[in-house]
Amino acid sequence: DWIKPSDPLNQQDMDSVRRIADAAMKEPLEAMREDPPDWWVGTSGAFNTLRTLEDPQSRWGTPREADAFSKSELLARCEALSVMSKSQMHEIPGMHPDRIPYMAVACTLIRHMLDRCGGVRRVFRSRHTLAEGVIAHAASNGGAGGGVWEAWKGLDRMG
């Protein structure tokens, strides 16, 4: 399955996104069915854009702090954006023009993954990728080795 999306996305495009995601993330999805996550952290440009659309002041927040989404607002916004054309997205105040080409696909994927991870209660946006966070934590704790493991352990339900 490969997608060459229409503008706006049609149902076939959305079904393709879901099939591709399910195939690409089969093992993590199976693990999440056994132990569903409570929290979900998004680190992509799509999450940055979605957070800025929800709260334009969020781009000026403390970069080391994750921003909480309203899960219901995130899902509603993703549902609306997933069926918009690129020209419609250009009209949205705060929509970064570099994000427009893939925003509908990203929103379809986000909705699908939140559906697959049914128990997620809270969603956050981090300005840093997971790898950056683990590396920064390890560096602040004397380098690799135990520092990396401790950073990963800290992600286990934030505990």
Side-chain angles (χ1 to χ4, degrees):
D1 226 342
W2 191 246
I3 182 170
K4 293 182 182 173
S6 352
D7 182 28
L9 294 184
N10 60 37
Q11 190 60 50
Q12 182 180 353
D13 296 330
M14 291 181 202
D15 291 344
S16 291
V17 168
R18 292 179 191 109
R19 275 193 302 275
I20 291 166
D22 286 346
M25 297 186 284
K26 183 179 179 188
E27 291 178 20
L29 287 170
E30 287 173 2
M32 284 188 275
R33 270 193 285 277
E34 294 172 20
D35 186 19
D38 295 326
W39 294 10
W40 208 45
V41 179
T43 62
S44 68
F47 274 94
N48 287 337
T49 299
L50 289 163
R51 184 66 191 137
T52 301
L53 292 175
E54 186 172 322
D55 176 11
Q57 297 302 312
S58 69
R59 73 181 100 193
W60 309 114
T62 307
R64 290 182 165 219
E65 293 177 10
D67 300 306
F69 279 100
S70 158
K71 183 179 173 185
S72 60
E73 286 181 32
L74 174 65
L75 287 169
R77 187 175 307 280
C78 281
E79 185 173 353
L81 289 171
S82 66
V83 296
M84 281 187 179
S85 69
K86 291 176 179 82
S87 61
Q88 290 172 311
M89 285 189 206
H90 274 286
E91 302 300 319
I92 299 172
M95 174 65 77
H96 195 288
D98 291 350
R99 306 291 182 224
I100 291 172
Y102 66 83
M103 206 62 201
V105 171
C107 284
T108 300
L109 179 60
I110 290 166
R111 287 176 54 218
H112 179 64
M113 293 309 298
L114 282 171
D115 181 54
R116 287 286 194 241
C117 305
V120 172
R121 292 180 296 116
R122 301 196 60 200
V123 182
F124 298 89
R125 180 274 308 249
S126 173
R127 290 175 188 86
H128 302 288
T129 65
L130 182 61
E132 288 170 334
V134 169
I135 290 168
H137 184 83
S140 70
N141 287 305
V148 171
W149 175 244
E150 291 303 313
W152 283 106
K153 280 181 24 184
L155 294 170
D156 182 23
R157 302 212 192 262
M158 304 305 278

